[in-house]
Amino acid sequence: MTIARTGWIAALLLGLVAAGIAEPGRGAADDAWPVKNKLLGKDGDKSEDVSGIACTKPDGFPRSCLVIDDNIQDAQFVQLTDGKLIAGSSVNLIKNTFKDKALELDGEGVAFSNGFYYVIGSHGHPRDKDHKLNPKTDAAKIQAKIAASSQIVRFRTTGEDGNASDIQPTPRLRDVIASEPALLPFMDLRLETNGLTIEGVAIKDDRTLLAGFRGPVLNGNCALVLSVEVANLFGNGKSSDHRLHRLSLGDGRGVRDLAPFGERILVLAGPVADGPGAYAVFAWDGASDSVELLKELPFDPKRKPEGLLPLDKTSTGLRVLIVFDGDKEGAPTPIEIPGSGPRSSSCPAG
């Protein structure tokens, strides 16, 4: 191949990348922002199970944020700058035990609203890839783990490192879930059998909690989000009033995270099943059942995006930070996505 021909091909490829027709490659772990100090995981080691992040303000730097790892009972304060995370102190959220051994919250999502952080547990059957838990002989342990993860914990904060007060766990969402006919059959089932598992949370208009389900996915392509008033979960009222949204996120994809951005909710979508799969970001108004596909994410399909944090607006859309379960300290990686996209077809009602 001549030098001139090689140069012509390179110029063509660069032109395609600039036009957005081709991508220069999949997002890699070495694109990640560094983490100063240490994000803590199981047994005090570096976290490899980061599952969510939220901050006290929606934009600007630096920001005070909270990160969760789904294998421990704590959450951890971090300071976010444009290009780096600085890990701070931890706050204990629950004290559940079984036979004197601590049980994890299995925290899968975090949100901030009106002076409170909210951390949501998975509300599902404990992860058990190797099927070590026997449903008969380990029934008490399984139920204890489900009870530990079936909580939402909120606490008041000024945003300063270590500032946490009025820590309030509530199990009431489980009762709301049990009152919904579309969700009840999937409660306490294993994830690999399309069992119920929550992985995203957001607070809309400071009063409505949105819980996004990784599973079940109905009819193969309809992911679910449950809308419940915060006052019914933490206040004196105990109503099970709710609304169930059905979002078309693609074949076999459920909700992996929810994050408010302006008047919309960003939805991180990914496979309900374990193993490699395609992830994407959608935009949703938080009220209807209609979503826009903003971007299919370009990461290696073996990686598992678990958390989504809006960073700032760009000339063509917005920049978000993605954190990964399975990567050391979440490998926080920025990526630009468009501000609008094609609408997905609607899911059947009921």
Side-chain angles (χ1 to χ4, degrees):
M1 185 179 290
T2 66
I3 294 175
R5 180 173 175 80
T6 302
W8 178 84
I9 292 174
L12 175 62
L13 290 173
L14 286 172
L16 291 173
V17 169
I21 298 173
E23 291 183 338
R26 295 189 180 276
D30 54 11
D31 296 329
W33 287 357
V35 177
K36 185 178 178 181
N37 302 331
K38 183 167 75 170
L39 287 181
L40 297 172
K42 192 172 183 179
D43 299 324
D45 295 331
K46 275 189 177 181
S47 174
E48 294 188 6
D49 299 283
V50 171
S51 53
I53 182 172
C55 303
T56 56
K57 60 182 184 179
D59 51 32
F61 300 99
R63 275 187 243 178
S64 175
C65 308
L66 192 74
V67 167
I68 52 171
D69 176 300
D70 62 20
N71 268 321
I72 57 178
Q73 293 189 331
D74 301 348
Q76 189 170 3
F77 288 96
V78 300
Q79 184 183 68
L80 177 72
T81 66
D82 194 354
K84 180 172 63 178
L85 273 70
I86 304 170
S89 58
S90 296
V91 53
N92 180 251
L93 301 176
I94 65 169
K95 299 187 181 298
N96 294 63
T97 61
F98 181 75
K99 295 185 177 180
D100 298 324
K101 184 176 180 180
L103 297 176
E104 65 268 18
L105 173 63
D106 196 16
E108 294 288 356
V110 57
F112 181 83
S113 174
N114 201 25
F116 283 91
Y117 274 120
Y118 293 77
V119 179
I120 196 165
S122 66
H123 287 68
H125 189 285
R127 305 296 164 83
D128 182 32
K129 293 181 181 179
D130 299 326
H131 287 258
K132 293 181 179 180
L133 292 173
N134 184 292
K136 292 184 178 179
T137 59
D138 294 316
K141 184 177 183 179
I142 291 170
Q143 288 305 311
K145 283 178 168 283
I146 290 173
S149 70
S150 295
Q151 301 180 83
I152 306 169
V153 184
R154 76 174 184 178
F155 65 88
R156 190 181 298 277
T157 184
T158 63
E160 296 179 12
D161 181 40
N163 181 269
S165 62
D166 193 17
I167 298 173
Q168 306 172 30
T170 178
R172 293 185 193 171
L173 184 62
R174 184 170 170 85
D175 293 333
V176 179
I177 292 170
S179 74
E180 170 51 54
L183 292 174
L184 179 60
F186 301 95
M187 291 184 72
D188 302 344
L189 297 183
R190 290 175 177 270
L191 180 62
E192 59 265 32
T193 59
N194 204 26
L196 185 147
T197 300
I198 293 173
E199 289 213 355
V201 66
I203 307 294
K204 185 174 183 289
D205 300 328
D206 288 332
R207 67 174 185 270
T208 305
L209 184 140
L210 303 171
F213 292 83
R214 173 176 174 176
V217 172
L218 302 184
N219 302 317
N221 66 349
C222 292
L224 304 175
V225 178
L226 192 65
S227 172
V228 186
E229 294 302 297
V230 171
N232 289 336
L233 299 171
F234 290 94
N236 294 325
K238 294 184 180 180
S239 170
S240 60
D241 289 349
H242 65 275
R243 179 177 176 188
L244 188 67
H245 298 277
R246 293 166 168 81
L247 308 181
S248 181
L249 304 182
D251 289 345
R253 288 204 294 214
V255 174
R256 290 304 189 96
D257 201 13
L258 300 171
F261 186 70
E263 298 299 315
R264 301 193 292 177
I265 305 292
L266 300 182
V267 181
L268 176 61
V272 64
D274 280 325
Y279 292 76
V281 177
F282 291 79
W284 175 45
D285 62 11
S288 70
D289 286 0
S290 177
V291 293
E292 292 178 50
L293 173 61
L294 300 185
K295 188 178 183 71
E296 294 281 350
L297 295 181
F299 302 111
D300 186 319
K302 293 181 181 179
R303 300 181 75 194
K304 297 185 290 182
E306 286 273 311
L308 170 70
L309 179 71
L311 293 175
D312 42 36
K313 292 181 179 179
T314 67
S315 59
T316 58
L318 64 152
R319 188 172 59 135
V320 301
L321 193 69
I322 304 291
V323 293
F324 297 83
D325 187 354
D327 287 18
K328 286 188 176 180
E329 299 185 293
T333 303
I335 186 170
E336 292 191 13
I337 61 177
S340 61
R343 291 200 172 275
S344 296
S345 56
S346 297
C347 289

